[in-house]
Amino acid sequence: MSRVYARRLARRVTVLASTAALALTGLLVTAPAAQAAPPTPVSAATARTYLGQLTVRAEGSSSGYSRDMFPHWITQSGTCNTREVVLKRDGVNVVQDANCAATSGSWYSPYDGATWYAASDVDIDHVVPLAEAWRSGASSWTTTQRRSFANDLTRPQLIAVTDNVNQAKGDKDPGDWMPPRTAYHCTYARMWVHVKYEWNLAVDSAEKSALQSVLNGC
């Protein structure tokens, strides 16, 4: 076990222990101090309509895929890149230094309900993963299109979440992975369909079935 991993594991064990202690004493505040706020996705009803309009086909090949095919994080303004813009947007009381790096603040991850106080504990998730987009149609895009997709602040495609939850997701679609916090499933499905519809990406049959099941319960 590396020293860095050991320190991170110890810190998270401490956070979990503190949370449990507060819960036992009745002092834990149930409402999160910060709520990640990507652009609001379409309603469940609209998402169901969009889903019905998406092309359904077997998932394409990963041949030729590389994250470098989707340039990110790009500069958005001044010295701030896309990651730093999302950290500021999705956090509470975020302080940035002269280089736009977040030096303090808090981030609530709606995927798992955890709150973090160091930007290094937070990943910016591509709701529709880059590799998933590649297999769903982005392999035929230009580099400019893929850059826009990877840094899309207009649709609900980018969100600050717990880093190891994002890593567990990897490039899986909703047929294989949903956020561990079930209360967020409806929002997540709406986000996913919204992004795929706006970018004209296909879905496979298992992915569509999983999304329909969630959206029908919203």
Side-chain angles (χ1 to χ4, degrees):
M1 180 183 293
S2 70
R3 292 180 179 177
V4 171
Y5 179 80
R7 285 197 298 271
R8 176 168 285 187
L9 181 61
R11 182 176 70 250
R12 292 187 173 178
V13 168
T14 299
V15 170
L16 289 172
S18 299
T19 299
L22 284 169
L24 287 172
T25 58
L27 296 176
L28 181 63
V29 177
T30 56
Q35 177 63 57
T40 303
V42 295
S43 69
T46 299
R48 287 191 290 269
T49 298
Y50 282 3
L51 182 59
Q53 297 174 4
L54 294 179
T55 298
V56 181
R57 61 170 173 78
E59 196 165 80
S61 170
S62 293
S63 178
Y65 168 73
S66 165
R67 287 180 68 83
D68 293 339
M69 302 293 286
F70 294 79
H72 66 289
W73 305 110
I74 64 172
T75 299
Q76 292 290 342
S77 63
T79 59
C80 299
N81 67 27
T82 308
R83 171 181 164 84
E84 291 151 352
V85 169
V86 177
L87 284 173
K88 177 72 171 179
R89 181 198 72 189
D90 290 1
V92 165
N93 298 324
V94 177
V95 175
Q96 296 172 310
D97 64 18
N99 295 317
C100 210
T103 58
S104 63
S106 66
W107 292 269
Y108 173 75
S109 167
Y111 283 7
D112 58 338
T115 299
W116 301 101
Y117 298 90
S120 59
D121 286 322
V122 178
D123 277 357
I124 306 306
D125 180 39
H126 290 95
V127 172
V128 175
L130 304 182
E132 164 68 19
W134 178 270
R135 297 188 297 263
S136 303
S139 59
S140 65
W141 293 352
T142 65
T143 299
T144 298
Q145 288 174 303
R146 289 193 289 264
R147 179 188 297 112
S148 295
F149 178 81
N151 298 275
D152 189 357
L153 294 168
T154 303
R155 289 90 173 182
Q157 163 66 344
L158 301 172
I159 185 170
V161 297
T162 302
D163 55 2
N164 58 351
V165 173
N166 182 48
Q167 290 151 23
K169 171 184 173 179
D171 63 356
K172 301 181 184 73
D173 68 35
D176 297 312
W177 187 92
M178 289 291 286
R181 181 170 164 259
T182 57
Y184 202 67
H185 285 189
C186 183
T187 300
Y188 185 79
R190 289 160 52 208
M191 294 166 75
W192 184 281
V193 172
H194 188 159
V195 172
K196 282 220 161 176
Y197 180 84
E198 292 290 344
W199 285 95
N200 196 28
L201 293 169
V203 291
D204 62 51
S205 57
E207 174 189 353
K208 181 176 182 179
S209 178
L211 288 164
Q212 284 179 324
S213 178
V214 173
L215 291 170
N216 286 341
C218 292

